[in-house]
Amino acid sequence: MLLGLLPGIEVVGAAADGEEAVRLVARYEPDVVLMDLRMPRCDGVEATRRIRAEHPATEVVILTTYADDESLFPALQAGARGYLTKDVGGEEIARAVADVRSGAAGLSPQIQRRLLERLSAGAPEERAPDRPRHALPSVLPSVLPSVLPDGLTTREAEVLALIAEGLSNAEIAGRLFVSPATVKTHINNLFAKTAVRDRAQAVTYAFRQGIARPPA
């Protein structure tokens, strides 16, 4: 409904998941796709990769709740030319659509800042090639299980370690350069995966699994 009210934009289709998005792009050949990330069957990163490979004339702008590194960089590497978080307004969406159609990048100021911060610290590709896929950033202990337990992602384990340090959600968000809402999402996910009910149990779990070290 919002997109239909924006000048210069015609909505030709809406998809419930990535699989349907790929099919609709083949049918309608749109100039731009606004792509969510977390979807059933085929997520936004895989859908973006397939669309860019099969329909290179169609640009992709990610529109998502998530602004963490594990969401941002895979989406850009898959071929997305824009990345917006869902707190943007109609003007920002219209501007991003116009930017990618003209060949520019459609990135929100928050995402541009995150990219600059990450580049100044070293791009993901610059990591040592033998670093394990699930190796964790320096905020975590140096001795870790070779594979993270219970299907935890790197970012979820990082959030868990910071919980064990006693940080609040706002402090974790500041440390990781993400929004408090993103932190809350990671906490909800890791609580569900580890079957802990509160932060105290999460701390015990982190110590037991070697994701954090108990105080001396």
Side-chain angles (χ1 to χ4, degrees):
M1 291 175 62
L2 171 63
L3 293 173
L5 298 174
L6 297 177
I9 293 181
E10 178 187 0
V11 179
V12 297
D17 55 44
E19 288 285 354
E20 187 179 4
V22 174
R23 290 198 302 271
L24 291 180
V25 168
R27 179 185 304 174
Y28 295 113
E29 299 181 349
D31 296 317
V32 180
V33 172
L34 287 180
M35 181 73 72
D36 201 354
L37 286 180
R38 308 294 170 87
M39 297 181 291
R41 296 201 299 167
C42 175
D43 65 20
V45 170
E46 178 60 25
T48 296
R49 185 177 295 112
R50 290 169 57 182
I51 288 170
R52 294 295 295 147
E54 299 169 17
H55 309 279
T58 297
E59 301 290 357
V60 177
V61 174
I62 303 298
L63 182 61
T64 181
T65 304
Y66 306 95
D68 56 280
D69 288 1
E70 289 185 350
S71 300
L72 171 60
F73 288 101
L76 296 180
Q77 290 166 349
R81 292 291 299 275
Y83 199 107
L84 303 172
T85 52
K86 289 183 177 178
D87 55 355
V88 300
E91 291 183 3
E92 289 89 346
I93 295 175
R95 186 180 305 115
V97 169
D99 285 345
V100 298
R101 288 187 66 192
S102 67
L107 303 173
S108 68
Q110 175 191 5
I111 297 303
Q112 292 180 39
R113 184 171 61 253
R114 186 70 196 100
L115 285 172
L116 290 173
E117 290 167 348
R118 184 59 179 269
L119 288 173
S120 67
E125 303 90 86
E126 295 172 356
R127 295 173 184 162
D130 59 346
R131 182 177 180 180
R133 175 179 175 85
H134 293 294
L136 304 184
S138 59
V139 298
L140 298 183
S142 57
V143 179
L144 291 168
S146 58
V147 177
L148 292 173
D150 296 316
L152 290 176
T153 66
T154 298
R155 181 45 59 93
E156 288 164 357
E158 187 174 16
V159 169
L160 180 57
L162 294 175
I163 290 174
E165 285 187 22
L167 273 63
S168 67
N169 287 9
E171 290 169 331
I172 294 172
R175 180 79 68 89
L176 300 180
F177 302 103
V178 299
S179 70
T182 298
V183 172
K184 183 178 288 187
T185 298
H186 287 312
I187 291 174
N188 289 339
N189 290 341
L190 72 89
F191 274 31
K193 290 179 179 180
T194 60
V196 302
R197 294 191 298 273
D198 52 38
R199 293 174 91 93
Q201 289 188 355
V203 171
T204 301
Y205 176 92
F207 293 157
R208 187 172 64 245
Q209 298 294 339
I211 292 172
R213 290 196 181 110

